[in-house]
Amino acid sequence: MKPIQVGLLGIGTVGRGTFEVLMRNQEEIKRRAGRGIEIAMVADLDTARASQVVGHHAVVVSDAQAVIANPDIDIVIELIGGYGVAKQLVLAAIEAGKHVVTANKALLAVHGTEIFAAAHRRGVMICFEAAVAGGIPIIKALREGLTANRIEWIAGIINGTTNFILSEMRDKGLAFGDVLAQAQSLGYAEADPTFDIEGIDAAHKATIMSAIAYGIPVQFDKAYVEGISKLQAQDIRYAEQLGYRIKLLGIAKRVSSKGSREGVELRVHPCLVPTKRLIANVEGAMNAVMIQADAVGTTLYYGKGAGSEPTASAVIADLVDVTRLMTADPLNRVPHLAFQPDSMSDLPILSMDEVRTSYYLRLVVADEAGVLAKITGILAQADISIDAVLQRPGSESKQETDLIILTHNCLEAHMNKAMASIQGLESVLAPIVRIRKEELS
Ligand code: HSE
């Protein structure tokens, strides 16, 4: 049988990896897919670079539309990234009846509803294993492996750049800015690292996982997003003394307990995680996703979340899936978002005020009688129970001290109110540092 013909849009790091792994493992991949898979055409603005990678094996063009218009191409891989040109090309490929494989998390998190609807209408597949956690097959696990389960929560380290920065800050006691500069010079962090360090990239990925876990539309605009750029080295140190590591987590959690509105928490922010949890020990640029589900219990998925061949591994898995399923009736394929399109849920994404979690607070206070009593009094009035208190000499002077408070679970709205009152006390000398805490048990 003639090999499946693939058109590749954008041959940067991941495109090169995809081409090379497909060539290297072609026999094994063919035995699995039941057919050969060939990248027959590549579009890239840098045609010289593209030709260097593919040699005589594929036609190289600068115009992506030429790939989409080619009737011999069965699958289009989009590795351009971003929401602009990539969106137009993905929609054009769908309209042309091509199956699409993409690593573009931003595009799917923001415009997924439109793209999945178009693919459904046209009866083509849109596959995106590479969009979340790179080489970890987390989409497959959530959509198929865990299909028997009611997913309770997902918590993931899904951005390697920020995990690298946090690991270095903890390991070497360095400040955020110094580690970021080092990561940029080593090529780990982008020249413009905003999407990574401000949590946006992780929120794109968490948004996609929330949709698959709960059968809800992708709703990036409703995600709460807070990055790591304001994290201070002393909080990492204090957290360590209390038995916690600070990680940037992407969290999607179904909430249906008495007294709270039923819905989904969708949030990305730095988090204290008990050091004894496996996920707290995921260091450097590695990714990990922890899933709590009713039948299976806790599962943990670990691996490289970026890089040429790890991401190519996910792209090629999608190519094999499409190859196996392209002749199936579209209604018999695995649904894009795990649930049948007519069985999607309208479970709302909850506001942060409705989130219930525990907290780490660090206050710089005047070291004098009655200060602790005033603070704990305000917390008690807000129905916030204290779990632990730590007092350490402040760095600036002998008259002030660092007060670290760990709380039990409470409503974020209550915490905000209590923090505003505490901040108003004369003896509180600096803005309060608040980091959320997840026990993940
Ligand atoms: N920039 C991402 C990270 C990789 O640092 O994990 C691609 O999603």
Side-chain angles (χ1 to χ4, degrees):
M1 204 188 298
K2 187 178 169 229
I4 289 287
Q5 301 291 287
V6 178
L8 174 57
L9 312 183
I11 189 155
T13 312
V14 177
R16 172 194 288 264
T18 303
F19 181 81
E20 289 173 354
V21 175
L22 260 181
M23 291 293 280
R24 189 169 78 228
N25 296 342
Q26 56 181 306
E27 275 315 309
E28 201 130 351
I29 291 168
K30 182 178 173 183
R31 281 168 55 213
R32 292 189 173 115
R35 248 176 112 170
I37 299 175
E38 264 179 26
I39 293 184
M41 205 170 176
V42 175
D44 199 293
L45 292 177
D46 190 342
T47 49
R49 180 185 66 175
S51 299
Q52 229 178 18
V53 177
V54 302
H56 63 277
H57 294 286
V59 175
V60 173
V61 293
S62 59
D63 178 14
Q65 294 289 355
V67 175
I68 293 168
N70 183 341
D72 292 335
I73 297 293
D74 306 296
I75 307 173
V76 169
I77 307 177
E78 182 273 307
L79 296 176
I80 294 168
Y83 328 98
V85 182
K87 182 184 174 198
Q88 289 164 17
L89 292 173
V90 164
L91 287 172
I94 291 169
E95 280 320 310
K98 314 289 185 198
H99 302 285
V100 174
V101 172
T102 179
N104 193 335
K105 58 231 110 187
L107 176 64
L108 294 181
V110 177
H111 299 291
T113 301
E114 183 184 349
I115 288 167
F116 292 126
H120 184 59
R121 251 191 336 268
R122 201 64 182 78
V124 296
M125 285 174 269
I126 168 128
C127 302
F128 48 95
E129 184 62 71
V132 182
I136 305 175
I138 195 66
I139 300 297
K140 194 94 172 169
L142 262 174
R143 193 162 53 186
E144 298 173 49
L146 300 179
T147 199
N149 290 262
R150 189 178 156 88
I151 308 289
E152 289 162 11
W153 51 258
I154 302 170
I157 295 173
I158 43 182
N159 183 270
T161 305
T162 44
N163 204 49
F164 171 80
I165 293 173
L166 291 175
S167 301
E168 289 288 294
M169 285 175 76
R170 186 186 67 81
D171 225 27
K172 304 190 174 138
L174 294 172
F176 169 80
D178 294 339
V179 183
L180 174 61
Q182 181 201 343
Q184 281 173 311
S185 72
L186 288 171
Y188 291 154
E190 306 279 345
D192 177 1
T194 312
F195 268 38
D196 290 324
I197 64 174
E198 297 306 345
I200 300 163
D201 174 74
H204 288 146
K205 296 165 182 168
T207 298
I208 294 171
M209 289 196 288
S210 72
I212 298 174
Y214 305 116
I216 56 175
V218 281
Q219 297 165 79
F220 173 71
D221 56 331
K222 303 220 175 91
Y224 172 79
V225 190
E226 182 185 316
I228 63 162
S229 58
K230 295 190 178 65
L231 264 189
Q232 297 174 46
Q234 74 247 51
D235 294 308
I236 294 178
R237 206 171 57 239
Y238 288 142
E240 196 81 357
Q241 290 170 19
L242 289 157
Y244 293 87
R245 295 250 163 102
I246 298 182
K247 294 290 179 190
L248 182 73
L249 291 187
I251 296 173
K253 186 182 203 171
R254 185 202 302 258
V255 178
S256 57
S257 60
K258 261 199 202 142
S260 35
R261 188 162 72 109
E262 194 175 357
V264 173
E265 294 178 3
L266 177 57
R267 48 191 169 101
V268 169
H269 50 72
C271 243
L272 266 74
V273 179
T275 308
K276 62 188 176 200
R277 301 266 173 269
L278 279 174
I279 197 167
N281 294 281
V282 171
E283 297 285 42
M286 299 304 281
N287 279 204
V289 181
M290 195 172 172
I291 301 179
Q292 178 75 29
D294 68 340
V296 72
T298 308
T299 52
L300 179 68
Y301 309 81
Y302 170 85
K304 289 188 178 152
S308 179
E309 293 205 356
T311 312
S313 163
V315 169
I316 296 168
D318 280 345
L319 292 177
V320 172
D321 264 0
V322 175
T323 304
R324 286 170 176 156
L325 288 172
M326 63 195 301
T327 53
D329 179 335
L331 293 175
N332 292 333
R333 295 179 189 143
V334 181
H336 293 122
L337 294 179
F339 292 75
Q340 299 296 339
D342 59 0
S343 298
M344 295 292 280
S345 158
D346 58 3
L347 211 55
I349 305 287
L350 300 175
S351 71
M352 272 313 274
D353 269 358
E354 297 170 279
V355 163
R356 195 171 271 281
T357 187
S358 54
Y359 297 86
Y360 161 104
L361 303 175
R362 176 169 57 81
L363 301 91
V364 180
V365 297
D367 197 2
E368 57 197 29
V371 173
L372 187 57
K374 279 186 203 151
I375 292 167
T376 55
I378 292 173
L379 290 172
Q381 258 183 352
D383 203 20
I384 298 169
S385 167
I386 293 171
D387 180 30
V389 177
L390 183 71
Q391 187 171 331
R392 286 286 181 271
S395 51
E396 298 301 323
S397 86
K398 292 214 166 74
Q399 275 81 50
E400 62 180 57
T401 185
D402 280 352
L403 192 61
I404 297 100
I405 301 175
L406 298 185
T407 75
H408 288 298
N409 271 0
C410 67
L411 210 54
E412 177 122 341
H414 292 175
M415 177 51 79
N416 287 339
K417 217 167 140 201
M419 277 177 66
S421 301
I422 295 170
Q423 193 70 75
L425 295 174
E426 238 175 64
S427 38
V428 174
L429 307 173
I432 301 169
V433 172
R434 174 254 300 272
I435 306 174
R436 297 171 187 88
K437 177 162 87 64
E438 293 289 334
E439 291 298 325
L440 302 181
S441 54

